[in-house]
Each structure stands twice: as structure tokens, then as C-alpha cells.
Amino acid sequence: MFVKTTPSAGRQVTIYFEDQPLEVEEGISVAAAVLGPSHGWTRTTHGGHKRGPYCQMGVCFECLMTINGVPNQQACLVPVAEGMRVNRQNGVPDFGKEGCNHA
Ligand code: FES
């Protein structure tokens, strides 16, 4: 599934990656926004191995992150928004009531 992100004309929004403010261009994906500050890893596997965005187009699922408290979000398909809270996902979270965005 392709999602076309639409970078703005230089407008900035503030998101919070691991509780640290990060100013990024409005409209880019969460995966793109945190690629530098995350040092390339945005989740760990069940065994603790670091993983990061790979395909950037919704195919590989290596970019799963917790976004605004909801785990299992494909960060490459979610555009940034003002005040968004983004966290690495460690291991395999409990799907619970939230489920995931790729049912
Ligand atoms: S980077 Fe491959 S699904 Fe997001």
C-alpha cells in the first residue's frame, strides 16, 4: 500500500520522539522524521535485535512504532502531526484492544 506524503512548503511541526522534542517538516512520514535521531533503529525484535525502517512503503513492517500510545503502527505510512508522541517499540507488544493498523 502506498501512501503519498505531501511535504509542506517548509512548515515545521513539533513531535516528541522518546519524549524529546523534534522539529520536522509537516507532511513527512514518522519514519523519515526519526531516522536520524533514532540512529536507524525504531523497534526491537522479541529477541532484542534492533530493527529500523527499510522499504519506506508499507511492505516490510520493520518500522513498527508506538505512535500516540498505539503500538504496531507502520511509521513509514503515518504522516507527522503537531504534538505527536512517537516511541520505539520494544519486542512484541500485547495487541490488546488497540490492535494494529494492518489488520
Ligand atoms: S519501512 Fe517497510 S513497512 Fe515501513
Side-chain angles (χ1 to χ4, degrees):
M1 171 177 163
F2 292 94
V3 174
K4 182 175 185 199
T5 57
T6 52
S8 67
R11 285 192 304 269
Q12 302 285 301
V13 295
T14 301
I15 66 172
Y16 296 87
F17 174 61
E18 299 288 338
D19 296 324
Q20 297 300 309
L22 183 62
E23 291 220 5
V24 298
E25 187 173 351
E26 182 181 58
I28 66 171
S29 71
V30 171
V34 303
L35 200 54
S38 71
H39 303 286
W41 68 280
T42 53
R43 73 176 184 100
T44 60
T45 65
H46 183 63
H49 301 283
K50 295 175 181 175
R51 294 287 188 263
Y54 182 69
C55 72
Q56 298 281 354
M57 61 182 188
V59 174
C60 72
F61 291 84
E62 294 290 6
C63 63
L64 296 179
M65 300 186 79
T66 299
I67 299 174
N68 290 333
V70 181
N72 301 311
Q73 302 297 301
Q74 285 177 276
C76 68
L77 300 181
V78 178
V80 294
E82 181 65 37
M84 182 178 267
R85 316 273 323 175
V86 179
N87 292 93
R88 287 187 172 109
Q89 181 168 302
N90 297 310
V92 180
D94 181 7
F95 281 82
K97 296 178 188 169
E98 303 297 339
C100 64
N101 71 349
H102 56 280

